[in-house]
Amino acid sequence: MSQQQSAAPAPAIATVARRRDWWRDAVIYQVYPRSFADSNGDGMGDLEGVRARLPYLRDLGVDAVWLSPFYASPQADAGYDVADYRAVDPMFGNLLDADALIRDAHGLGLRIIVDLVPNHSSDQYEWFKRALAEGPGSPLRDRYHFRPGKGENGELPPNDWESIFGGPAWTRLADGEWYLHLFAPEQPDFNWEHPAVGDEFRSILRFWLDMGVDGFRIDVAHGLVKAEGLPDLGGADQLKLLGNDVMPFFDQDGVHEIYRQWRHVLDEYAGERIFVAEAWTPTVERTANYVRPDELHQAFNFQYLSTEWDAAELRKVIDRTLEAMRPVGAPATWVLSNHDVTRHATRFANPPGLGTQIRTAGDRDLGLRRARAATLLMLALPGSAYIYQGEELGLPDVVDLPDEVRQDPAYFRGAGQDGFRDGCRVPIPWTREGSSYGFGAGGSWLPQPASWGELSIEAQTGTAGSTLELYRSALSVRRAQADLGAGDAVEWLRSPEGVLAFRRGEFVCVANTGGESVTIPAYGRVLLASGELTEADGEAKLPADTTVWWTTA
């Protein structure tokens, strides 16, 4: 059997992908291109590699594929420093490869969502290079945030903002001026008060929409507009404020006018194209502002991603999310892992309170058991769900990468993000054996653990009880059950401490987040369970860290 195919017949996704409001209950799979599949043996994943593996994604049962950046870039931040938004970086292929990937995906019934990076460009972007060359007073400097410094000779930064990656958010040039970069110095922030910036990005949107993409994931969607005058934070602990408070460079109200303009562009095109916001906001209520009817369609639910494996805390964030999205008519989204955080199979293996960035492997068996249970819980909730490549294999973070192979720019700057994002970006395994476990013929750009082979698609395909087959079954059941998918409410059921139980029509989900087995009512016919379940006399014994799906029909 091909490593790209599952034992089950392909679901009828092509029909589903064409229906209206597909995005309200879509399961969207994130592909990190450099780590997905390498077609030419250079150790780096590419678009042709993604294209060749599309049948695997179809058979998995997802509705759409989100591609992390593949644009021309010096790769100072893994492609999130874009030098040309209308070109493919040669390491990934070319525009013909992108066109072929989009066409093949559509032929398989899959939608394609591409990353867009509007907060900042690369320092090799033509505008920025010309702004540097022309010097102070150049009109092109107005398209970024250039400022004179403070101090007697301008030797101090214009304000006290810090880079998300650590260190000051300003870099001084030889001509004396400073420029703003909320991330790496190679990523200067655009000035969205300048009309040329908006004009350029509306043109970029149309370029990719004309190519046939079905939507955009907007990187740092909360960061485009800065507070007037770029005010100091006044000594506040910036890292503690991130995601917990409105800041002068994040979640400013002015971003919403930009997205209303973008929505007009999107609505020029047929086929229900969508926008997805990466918007780190203090509350789900503020996140809801991004998905009002005339703005974006979805926004990542980072409050949910950041919640511990705890029934009470999960119920709070689920209720609050559904309540926040209901007035704006947008679907809730649910996500457990992505390319910026520790994979949840490792996160849940560690003691609570460590956050989304973890440096230790923890109890791997416990982490995987909880990750499987959390997945079934997530897929049972109303709205849309996101899957990060490899989580369907139960991949843990690789926490023991040697320092010399790390590439996360935050790792090389002090006092910023954790800097260990490389651990969730290690290329995924396709086969039991080989120099890169089927990733490509020439090894992989980050080293893979020796255990990768037994976690591969080949090893798990057709294996009863494997995490891959659990995902395939869950997505198949989700598609078949009329009460799953879109919606904005759950009916909570009485349950023991540490257990979440809710009903959606004739569907019931029960998740035991506690450390002991519990006895609960048997709600009907079992559809799927993340672990062993025993039933007798109308009751069921649900093990610790296990989720079960029932139908009462």
Side-chain angles (χ1 to χ4, degrees), residues 273-289:
R273 322 292 178 96
I274 69 165
F275 287 123
V276 183
E278 183 209 25
W280 289 88
T281 67
T283 65
V284 289
E285 290 80 11
R286 288 198 66 87
T287 300
N289 291 335

Side-chain angles (χ1 to χ4, degrees), residues 67-89:
L67 297 170
S68 292
F70 52 81
Y71 309 111
S73 167
Q75 304 296 322
D77 184 22
Y80 282 95
D81 51 317
V82 181
D84 188 342
Y85 291 86
R86 299 176 181 85
V88 174
D89 195 281

Side-chain angles (χ1 to χ4, degrees), residues 5 55 73 86 138 283 304 502:
Q5 297 174 341
S73 167
R86 299 176 181 85
S138 166
T283 65
Y304 185 77
F502 61 86

Side-chain angles (χ1 to χ4, degrees), residues 90-122:
M91 70 189 294
F92 297 123
N94 54 46
L95 283 174
L96 291 176
D97 296 321
D99 179 71
L101 191 162
I102 294 166
R103 291 176 184 271
D104 281 10
H106 289 168
L108 293 170
L110 295 168
R111 307 237 182 191
I112 293 293
I113 295 169
V114 296
D115 233 311
L116 189 66
V117 188
N119 178 71
H120 49 263
S121 72
S122 164

Side-chain angles (χ1 to χ4, degrees), residues 25-44:
D25 63 356
V27 177
I28 300 173
Y29 186 100
Q30 181 189 358
V31 165
Y32 195 65
R34 62 172 54 212
S35 298
F36 191 66
D38 171 19
S39 71
N40 60 9
D42 66 355
M44 187 70 65

Side-chain angles (χ1 to χ4, degrees), residues 116-168:
L116 189 66
V117 188
N119 178 71
H120 49 263
S121 72
S122 164
D123 61 357
Q124 297 304 302
Y125 192 61
E126 188 60 31
W127 285 3
F128 193 76
K129 291 196 298 182
R130 287 172 51 197
L132 295 189
E134 293 175 10
S138 166
L140 281 167
R141 293 202 174 193
D142 294 337
R143 300 181 186 185
Y144 293 90
H145 294 279
F146 283 85
R147 295 287 188 278
K150 293 181 178 179
E152 184 177 350
N153 298 303
E155 71 278 7
L156 301 176
N159 66 22
D160 62 1
W161 296 357
E162 298 173 9
S163 163
I164 307 304
F165 289 162

Side-chain angles (χ1 to χ4, degrees), residues 370-422:
R370 288 177 171 176
R372 288 162 58 95
T375 294
L376 289 195
L377 173 61
M378 175 183 78
L379 292 174
L381 294 170
S384 179
Y386 282 78
I387 294 172
Y388 177 50
Q389 67 176 45
E391 73 171 72
E392 77 276 19
L393 306 178
L395 294 186
D397 251 45
V398 181
V399 299
D400 55 356
L401 288 170
D403 292 352
E404 59 269 20
V405 305
R406 295 189 179 276
Q407 299 192 28
D408 183 353
Y411 182 74
F412 302 99
R413 294 170 63 87
Q417 287 183 332
D418 192 291
F420 284 77
R421 295 180 299 173
D422 292 314

